[in-house]
């Protein structure tokens, strides 16, 4: 019998398909379309300690093979999330991962402490809580912190070490494709106690309005995602998966069951679906079914049989 269940840093998943941060809100908009228990997990919109209004001007821009975004981590803040969103997010019968952003190390650690405290309290009363934190050190669209933590090893090491001390929850670190030495950064995160890695975030890119003679975005550059970045993401996942012993989650332009198997063969433990959620509102549902069918036609009984074979 074909099996697509898997485990990520000790958290069991019904399949390797996770809804990527920033493309799924907190799950609510999609819960009316299909049962979210069909997903391996949901990753929250990027959260910061205090609310953020995000960037001004154009925030989304379509390209021939993907989209560019300059959202700027707009979010209600962790306190509002815990009060208004967490209960429903944990009601869908799938793993809940919170994407944690920040501008300073103090913001990251205080956010991690709040999430951990709330989760322990919920679990002590028999309720489901946050299963994992995804530490976002790679957002290219905020002025402070963000990408800076994801580029330089020393800065990344400082924030990963601090957050590791601040939480007992499993810790997934989301890496930037802009890291100066991605493999070395991955090894550093493992050494500092990360339970897993996810990559890649969007790639900094640019679009120009030739009639206005200016960049489309107020901040000049924005993050490119979608099919255009898949080959780059696949290469980076392959390199990192061979550099560490902790699980790696593949992200980048995944829009078919074939894409999922490519990332698994490159060494990914699981994958995240991002831009494709905007193209196919039932992406998680359809990809899970297509993955089973593809594995059957290819004679693959388990993802473990093909993981990292390239």
């Amino acid at each position: 019998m074909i099996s697509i269940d898997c485990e990520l840093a000790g958290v069991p998943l019904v399949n390797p398909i996770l809804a990527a941060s920033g493309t799924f809100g907190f799950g609510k908009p999609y819960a009316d379309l299909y049962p979210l228990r069909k997903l391996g997990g949901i990753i929250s919109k990027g959260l910061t300690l205090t609310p953020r209004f995000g960037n001004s001007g154009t925030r989304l821009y379509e390209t021939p093979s993907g989209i560019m975004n300059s959202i700027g981590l707009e979010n209600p803040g962790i306190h509002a999330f815990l009060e208004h969103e967490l209960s429903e997010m944990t009601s869908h019968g799938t793993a809940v991962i919170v994407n944690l952003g920040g501008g300073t190390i103090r913001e990251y650690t205080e956010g991690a402490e709040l999430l951990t405290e709330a989760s322990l309290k919920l679990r002590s009363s028999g309720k489901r809580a946050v299963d994992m934190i995804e530490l976002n050190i790679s957002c290219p669209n905020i002025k402070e912190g963000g990408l800076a933590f994801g580029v330089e090893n020393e800065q990344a090491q400082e924030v990963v070490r601090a957050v590791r001390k601040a939480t007992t929850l499993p810790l997934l670190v989301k890496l930037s494709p802009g890291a100066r030495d991605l493999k070395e950064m991955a090894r550093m995160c493992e050494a500092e106690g990360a339970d897993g890695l996810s990559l890649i975030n969007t790639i900094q890119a640019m679009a120009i309005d030739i009639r206005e003679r200016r960049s489309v975005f107020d901040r000049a550059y924005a993050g490119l995602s979608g099919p255009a970045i898949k080959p780059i993401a696949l290469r980076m996942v392959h390199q990192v998966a061979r550099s560490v012993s902790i699980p790696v989650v593949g992200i980048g332009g995944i829009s078919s069951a074939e894409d999922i198997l490519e990332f698994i063969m490159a060494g990914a433990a699981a994958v995240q679906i991002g831009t494709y959620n905007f193209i196919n509102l039932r992406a998680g549902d359809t990809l899970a079914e297509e993955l089973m069918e593809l594995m059957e036609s290819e004679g693959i009984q388990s993802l473990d049989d093909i993981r990292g074979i390239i």
Side-chain angles (χ1 to χ4, degrees):
M1 183 175 178
I2 295 172
S3 171
I4 58 172
D5 62 339
C6 57
E7 183 184 288
L8 179 61
V11 177
L13 309 177
V14 296
N15 61 52
I17 300 170
L18 307 170
S21 177
T23 66
F24 216 71
F26 301 113
K28 193 181 300 182
Y30 294 89
D32 293 335
L33 303 175
Y34 65 95
L36 300 189
R37 64 177 181 278
K38 291 188 174 183
L39 285 167
I42 305 169
I43 304 178
S44 78
K45 183 174 181 54
L47 288 166
T48 50
L49 183 62
T50 55
R52 289 182 63 96
F53 295 104
N55 294 335
S56 60
T58 299
R59 294 187 176 198
L60 286 174
Y61 183 81
E62 188 170 351
T63 78
S65 54
I67 59 172
M68 299 169 67
N69 90 82
S70 181
I71 304 299
L73 279 179
E74 178 187 0
N75 75 92
I78 289 175
H79 290 283
F81 166 75
L82 294 174
E83 183 175 355
H84 301 296
E85 305 289 350
L86 179 59
S87 177
E88 181 169 336
M89 196 176 171
T90 57
S91 69
H92 301 299
T94 189
V96 170
I97 302 172
V98 170
N99 182 285
L100 175 63
T104 65
I105 289 177
R106 185 189 65 81
E107 283 187 58
Y108 278 111
T109 56
E110 288 192 18
E113 287 168 355
L114 285 169
L115 292 169
T116 306
E117 181 182 347
S119 297
L120 291 173
K121 189 175 179 181
L122 286 170
R123 287 211 173 81
S124 67
S125 57
K127 297 178 180 177
R128 185 151 193 170
V130 175
D131 292 295
M132 190 181 304
I133 290 175
E134 181 179 60
L135 183 63
N136 184 359
I137 59 171
S138 56
C139 179
N141 297 319
I142 62 172
K143 187 176 180 181
E144 321 85 7
L147 186 60
F149 285 115
V151 172
E152 303 291 350
N153 275 0
E154 292 75 14
Q155 289 177 279
Q157 183 175 35
E158 196 173 355
V159 70
V160 173
R161 180 180 294 171
V163 173
R164 177 70 286 173
K165 290 179 180 176
T167 182
T168 55
L169 292 170
L171 186 62
L172 194 67
V173 180
K174 189 169 187 176
L175 301 180
S176 167
R180 298 199 192 284
D181 187 335
L182 189 62
K183 290 188 288 185
E184 183 55 33
M185 181 169 284
R187 287 191 285 265
M188 178 278 297
C189 290
E190 181 178 25
E192 292 297 338
D195 298 294
L197 304 167
S198 56
L199 66 149
I200 59 174
N201 207 323
T202 56
I203 295 175
Q204 273 200 317
M206 187 177 192
I208 293 174
D209 184 332
I210 59 171
R211 292 172 181 80
E212 295 293 331
R213 274 69 163 170
R214 63 182 294 273
S215 170
V216 166
F217 300 98
D218 282 0
R219 289 181 48 77
Y221 307 136
L224 175 65
S225 62
I229 72 168
K230 197 200 91 178
I232 301 168
L234 194 62
R235 185 261 297 175
M236 289 182 166
V237 166
H238 185 260
Q239 290 177 322
V240 168
R242 274 146 189 76
S243 302
V244 297
S245 58
I246 53 178
V248 172
V249 178
I251 320 166
I254 297 170
S255 59
S256 68
E258 286 82 0
D259 290 343
I260 294 173
L261 288 191
E262 280 193 68
F263 275 87
I264 299 294
M265 288 181 180
V271 298
Q272 294 183 22
I273 308 301
T275 300
Y276 191 52
N277 284 315
F278 301 135
I279 299 168
N280 177 359
L281 298 179
R282 297 177 63 96
D285 187 14
T286 55
L287 287 177
E289 292 179 6
E290 290 171 8
L291 180 61
M292 290 284 286
E293 293 170 359
L294 179 60
M295 289 174 65
E296 183 176 13
S297 68
E298 290 296 320
I300 301 168
Q301 293 297 308
S302 166
L303 296 174
D304 290 338
D305 295 341
I306 59 164
R307 183 171 289 111
I309 63 170
I310 305 300

